[in-house]
Amino acid sequence: AVLLPSSDDDNNAPLPRDAEPAPDITSEPTDSLCTGAADQEIMHAQPEPALYKWVLTQVQGCFYGLGGSMKNLAVPDDDFHACISDAIEEGLGLTVNCSSCFADIGLCSKHFCTKSCGNVQISENMNLQGCLDCQKKHYCAHTFDKCVGWSMTQDLQLSYN
């Protein structure tokens, strides 16, 4: 399972010519988009590792569902973001605004952490810590935590299996 190779993950190899440029992730959300009690209750109802695994499953499903593969890296960002947001909204019951936070971390991971996040098999024993470490390194996790309104990823520890 692979999202997209990134320059960080792939020994600084350039992306194919038809790949979209990386999004500007330097701007942070000014406020949480998940401030509603219902969104917070839904997110806190699951242990963070289980929620993180489930979200990664949705992200990978959207990438492959939109025709992505190691030979086809050009999955349009808008379609990818919309797919993830819809999957989170429908699957968890979060609001549209809150679901976009999850789509944002998926998109950031697509551009910067493909090998770390995409090369894991969704199972009990997968190595998700490498994915999370990459997301932290590239500021995806910090922006996500600000967006959802709590520090879900900051102290999260996942299996290295």
Side-chain angles (χ1 to χ4, degrees):
V2 180
L3 295 179
L4 278 180
S6 69
S7 58
D8 180 63
D9 285 340
D10 211 27
N11 298 322
N12 295 321
L15 288 174
R17 291 182 191 166
D18 57 351
E20 295 182 32
D24 177 13
I25 60 165
T26 58
S27 62
E28 293 185 35
T30 55
D31 293 310
S32 167
L33 296 178
C34 301
T35 56
D39 284 337
Q40 290 296 319
E41 185 177 321
I42 290 167
M43 290 187 296
H44 289 287
Q46 296 291 324
E48 287 92 348
L51 181 59
Y52 189 87
K53 287 180 183 182
W54 186 84
V55 170
L56 183 58
T57 302
Q58 307 315 303
V59 171
Q60 288 180 342
C62 285
F63 181 74
Y64 290 117
L66 292 169
S69 71
M70 287 306 294
K71 294 183 183 193
N72 176 25
L73 306 175
V75 171
D77 284 351
D78 289 345
D79 293 344
F80 187 60
H81 192 278
C83 178
I84 298 166
S85 185
D86 290 347
I88 301 301
E89 182 184 358
E90 293 169 17
L92 292 178
L94 295 173
T95 61
V96 173
N97 285 343
C98 186
S99 296
S100 72
C101 299
F102 292 84
D104 289 347
I105 195 172
L107 188 60
C108 186
S109 299
K110 171 188 152 189
H111 287 283
F112 298 106
C113 303
T114 302
K115 187 175 181 182
S116 300
C117 295
N119 282 335
V120 294
Q121 296 297 315
I122 307 301
S123 71
E124 292 294 320
N125 296 317
M126 66 184 157
N127 175 13
L128 284 179
Q129 189 64 44
C131 177
L132 181 60
D133 290 346
C134 183
Q135 289 170 333
K136 287 178 180 181
K137 176 181 177 184
H138 291 284
Y139 213 60
C140 304
H142 174 77
T143 303
F144 172 76
D145 287 351
K146 266 188 93 69
C147 191
V148 297
W150 59 290
S151 187
M152 178 182 151
T153 62
Q154 188 62 35
D155 298 318
L156 184 60
Q157 292 296 309
L158 299 164
S159 172
Y160 273 105
N161 295 334

